[in-house]
Amino acid sequence: MNKQNENDKLLSREYEKQLEKMSPFEIKNKLIAMAEEDARKTTKTFLNAGRGNPNWISTIPREAFFLLGKWAMTECKRVMCDDVGIAGIPSKQGIAVRLHEFIKTHCDCKGAELLNGAFTYLVAKGADPDDLALEWAEAVIGDQYPTPDRILRHTEVLVQDYLAQEMGGKGCDDMKFDLFACEGGTAGMCYAFDSFQQNYLLRKGDKIALMSPIFTPYIEIPHLARFDFDVVEISANRVDQNGYHTWQYADDEIDKLRDKNVKLLCLVNPSNPPSYTLSRHTLDRIIDIVKTDNPDLMIITDDVYGTFVKDFRSLMYELPENTLCVYSFSKYFGATGWRLAVVAAQQKNIFDRLIARLPEAEKQALNKRYGSLTLEPEKMKFIDRMVADSRLVALNHTAGLSTPQQIQMSLFAAFSLLDKQNVYKNKMQTKIKERLEALWSTTGFTLLPDELRAGYYSEIDIMVWAKKFYGDDFACYLEKNYEPLDFVMRLAQETAVVLLNGDGFDGPLWSVRASLANLTEADYLKIGKAVRAILDEYHDKYLKTK
């Protein structure tokens, strides 16, 4: 098959219909191959805005991590060291003093400043200095199993305060959350769905609600044979008087939650891909529904993008007893490879209450399941059951996120807590905003100002702009003659640009999703031009039919 025939096959409606059955993250691989081929045979630059891996890193918490590791090695070697390369494990006696002396010798290093600030912060919160220094030394070296297995004691303090600061929990000192440190937000999602089912909180065929558009695993997991949930879609389908998407939810959509048969609500807030946080009106409506109509509603809120919105407020602080929060450090700190996240559950919560109300036979089955871990399994918290389930219960004694990962998590959290002027946050939000404006500026499309926009992604509904620029007749021509996937495939093949299809996230059929995290501002200017060029190319073909 020659190259032209192969290209025609890739852009055929039959082939595109086949691809549309796949996750956009799997389609991405095909788009990348097409874009790279186009870049090789032309002077175009391959630009991949299909995945939200940031192109920045937070340096100071990493400097602190590696400096702490250097100190911890000296602690091991002072106990025992031989020529073969074998050392001892850290000794507690006098360890805090030695840490301070080490930090003093690196006073010109911002990482040392962070270590000192984090140490002082935790001691002020009641930590014993030698206990803290020993935990840090052993954790960064990784010479012990994670203890406690759910999360290290001092890591939990820092991350608890970090969540309160960044997720809108200031002034909520009475809300105490148990945290489970896990291998990225995706692990937290897997553990949550597994434990919901293992503990009879969700059963095969139960009704759950998804606030869409939404990150694709939340769409795909419920349809796995193991779960086979009845999914209710709550669509962000509101448009303003000019026909522009607001990416917010109409009241009648939110009111679907009044059905008591809806057992679980899943949302990403700010959303992925539109990247908008919930309005105050929507938050209040969900709160009212839980209080008046559906008090047993369980909620998973995935708030990884919350730090990119001014004055963000998570449902974990609005409906703390009903909400399980999954928060990942990956995007804000440029740390997707670290796999750092926590699952947070308030100490008094609906999950524990629902387990306590199970039929006796199911309680007995659960007592048997967790009976090897405690003499009173019926009193075991849901979040501790998640920890056990993450290791098939039998391996609970080796559960927990690796301790070096927990130290890096602690230092990320401490870095934000000690940044009293929000210098880092303001820089991150400005960087994203500038890239977003660059993308839209060259499309010719209108980007409306909106304080609820995070802007980590941008979802562009091509059909809206087809109608705005060229009229309803042209829009009908597009729908009649092309599959929605054709736009991103043509974009890859003809401009070497990779975006994802928005309908794969349960967004509008003709929408595309661009990540604003992983390219330069200049690159987004080029992407905007490419998006507009493909739309205009369709219009040129349309004119030839007249």
Side-chain angles (χ1 to χ4, degrees):
M1 179 184 296
N2 64 41
K3 183 59 67 174
Q4 183 59 49
N5 288 339
E6 183 178 341
N7 289 343
D8 291 344
K9 175 184 179 294
L10 290 173
L11 293 175
S12 71
R13 296 195 72 173
E14 293 75 16
Y15 183 65
E16 289 171 349
K17 285 179 180 179
Q18 292 291 323
L19 286 182
E20 284 171 349
K21 300 174 184 177
M22 297 168 56
S23 161
F25 291 104
E26 302 306 321
I27 297 172
K28 167 182 62 66
N29 298 327
K30 176 64 69 176
L31 297 175
I32 288 172
M34 294 168 68
E36 287 178 334
E37 173 66 20
D38 186 52
R40 276 194 295 271
K41 66 185 182 182
T42 67
T43 59
K44 301 186 190 85
T45 302
F46 169 59
L47 297 173
N48 181 3
R51 193 170 189 183
N53 196 103
N55 65 347
W56 64 78
I57 66 162
S58 178
T59 60
I60 296 174
R62 286 173 166 89
E63 290 173 1
F65 176 85
F66 291 117
L67 190 63
L68 186 65
K70 182 177 180 180
W71 165 74
M73 284 301 299
T74 67
E75 284 298 302
C76 294
K77 289 180 178 180
R78 70 178 291 276
V79 173
M80 179 183 74
C81 185
D82 66 20
D83 295 338
V84 178
I86 300 173
I89 63 175
S91 172
K92 179 178 178 180
Q93 187 175 4
I95 193 171
V97 172
R98 294 192 295 276
L99 175 58
H100 280 297
E101 290 300 318
F102 178 86
I103 290 173
K104 284 181 184 178
T105 65
H106 295 79
C107 59
D108 59 341
C109 171
K110 289 186 177 181
E113 184 180 336
L114 175 56
L115 287 176
N116 186 61
F119 195 92
T120 302
Y121 183 96
L122 286 166
V123 170
K125 301 277 287 188
D128 175 82
D130 284 334
D131 285 345
L132 172 56
L134 180 65
E135 180 179 288
W136 278 9
E138 293 198 314
V140 77
I141 290 297
D143 68 334
Q144 304 289 332
Y145 289 109
T147 305
D149 50 17
R150 184 164 53 76
I151 192 170
L152 298 178
R153 286 193 302 126
H154 299 106
T155 298
E156 185 163 31
V157 173
L158 288 170
V159 176
Q160 177 108 234
D161 290 355
Y162 170 82
L163 291 176
Q165 174 179 291
E166 303 297 344
M167 298 292 104
K170 286 186 177 180
C172 301
D173 296 338
D174 57 328
M175 294 185 192
K176 298 299 181 184
F177 291 82
D178 290 324
L179 306 181
F180 173 22
C182 52
E183 304 89 339
T186 49
M189 292 163 52
C190 293
Y191 296 155
F193 276 101
D194 179 52
S195 289
F196 282 153
Q197 191 172 66
Q198 295 289 357
N199 287 275
Y200 304 107
L201 299 180
L202 287 176
R203 304 160 197 271
K204 193 170 184 178
D206 273 352
K207 187 177 288 188
I208 72 167
L210 303 180
M211 297 184 77
S212 66
I214 192 168
F215 185 43
T216 56
Y218 288 102
I219 299 171
E220 295 161 9
I221 289 173
H223 296 293
L224 294 175
R226 173 184 166 183
F227 300 110
D228 195 23
F229 296 138
D230 180 7
V231 176
V232 176
E233 183 176 340
I234 298 175
S235 177
N237 57 9
R238 287 188 62 185
V239 295
D240 67 11
Q241 64 273 19
N242 296 311
Y244 299 127
H245 289 285
T246 66
W247 303 113
Q248 294 295 331
Y249 300 86
D251 287 351
D252 59 347
E253 289 291 309
I254 298 299
D255 286 346
K256 294 175 183 178
L257 297 174
R258 296 188 189 278
D259 179 1
K260 289 185 178 181
N261 291 317
V262 176
K263 302 291 184 63
L264 172 70
L265 168 65
C266 297
L267 68 151
V268 178
N269 185 29
S271 52
N272 177 4
S275 208
Y276 285 73
T277 191
L278 297 180
S279 69
R280 184 69 251 178
H281 176 80
T282 296
L283 285 171
D284 288 340
R285 198 165 191 91
I286 294 172
I287 293 167
D288 176 69
I289 287 171
V290 170
K291 289 183 176 180
T292 61
D293 295 292
N294 199 352
D296 291 342
L297 180 68
M298 299 179 290
I299 300 170
I300 295 179
T301 183
D302 186 334
D303 294 344
V304 60
Y305 307 106
T307 45
F308 295 94
V309 176
K310 183 181 178 182
D311 300 324
F312 176 69
R313 180 76 168 175
S314 168
L315 270 171
M316 73 181 287
Y317 291 105
E318 295 284 359
L319 288 168
E321 295 190 14
N322 293 72
T323 302
L324 202 67
C325 177
V326 177
Y327 178 79
S328 168
F329 290 77
S330 62
K331 305 301 171 58
Y332 192 45
F333 297 100
T336 54
W338 263 108
R339 315 309 297 135
L340 303 178
V342 289
V343 177
Q346 189 179 250
Q347 292 178 351
K348 293 182 179 179
N349 60 70
I350 191 63
F351 315 105
D352 291 335
R353 289 200 292 272
L354 289 174
I355 290 172
R357 283 157 38 188
L358 289 171
E360 191 60 33
E362 291 175 349
K363 286 183 183 179
Q364 290 302 318
L366 291 176
N367 288 348
K368 183 177 180 181
R369 177 178 178 82
Y370 301 109
S372 63
L373 309 181
T374 172
L375 295 177
E376 297 180 300
E378 67 278 0
K379 294 182 180 179
M380 195 171 176
K381 293 181 178 180
F382 173 72
I383 198 162
D384 291 321
R385 294 173 187 230
M386 283 184 65
V387 176
D389 293 336
S390 75
R391 297 298 184 269
L392 293 177
V393 181
L395 292 167
N396 182 71
H397 63 288
T398 60
L401 183 66
S402 80
T403 59
Q405 287 174 277
Q406 294 199 50
I407 288 295
Q408 185 66 89
M409 183 190 296
S410 298
L411 293 171
F412 283 144
F415 175 65
S416 286
L417 289 168
L418 298 173
D419 182 8
K420 300 299 183 183
Q421 302 303 314
N422 284 330
V423 175
Y424 183 83
K425 178 186 283 188
N426 292 337
K427 181 67 174 180
M428 285 294 98
Q429 292 181 356
T430 299
K431 182 186 292 289
I432 287 294
K433 182 180 179 183
E434 289 172 348
R435 292 176 179 184
L436 177 71
E437 290 174 348
L439 171 69
W440 281 71
S441 69
T442 50
T443 60
F445 307 157
T446 303
L447 181 66
L448 301 176
D450 195 328
E451 289 189 354
L452 298 178
R453 183 192 295 120
Y456 194 91
Y457 302 102
S458 186
E459 186 162 13
I460 303 173
D461 190 342
I462 299 301
M463 194 57 67
V464 167
W465 299 106
K467 293 177 182 179
K468 291 285 182 185
F469 283 108
Y470 300 123
D472 290 343
D473 189 56
F474 168 64
C476 290
Y477 162 83
L478 271 184
E479 290 180 320
K480 182 179 180 180
N481 291 278
Y482 299 94
E483 290 298 307
L485 190 61
D486 188 77
F487 193 94
V488 292
M489 295 193 71
R490 201 171 290 273
L491 194 68
Q493 188 178 79
E494 298 178 11
T495 71
V497 167
V498 175
L499 303 183
L500 297 189
N501 52 309
D503 63 318
F505 299 81
D506 273 0
L509 284 177
W510 278 82
S511 63
V512 297
R513 177 235 206 204
S515 164
L516 281 303
N518 60 321
L519 296 170
T520 68
E521 189 174 335
D523 290 333
Y524 289 107
L525 291 170
K526 295 175 184 175
I527 291 173
K529 288 180 181 178
V531 168
R532 181 58 185 271
I534 296 299
L535 178 60
D536 290 347
E537 178 185 312
Y538 285 125
H539 186 246
D540 289 343
K541 292 180 179 179
Y542 162 74
L543 291 178
K544 292 176 182 178
T545 67
K546 295 300 172 182

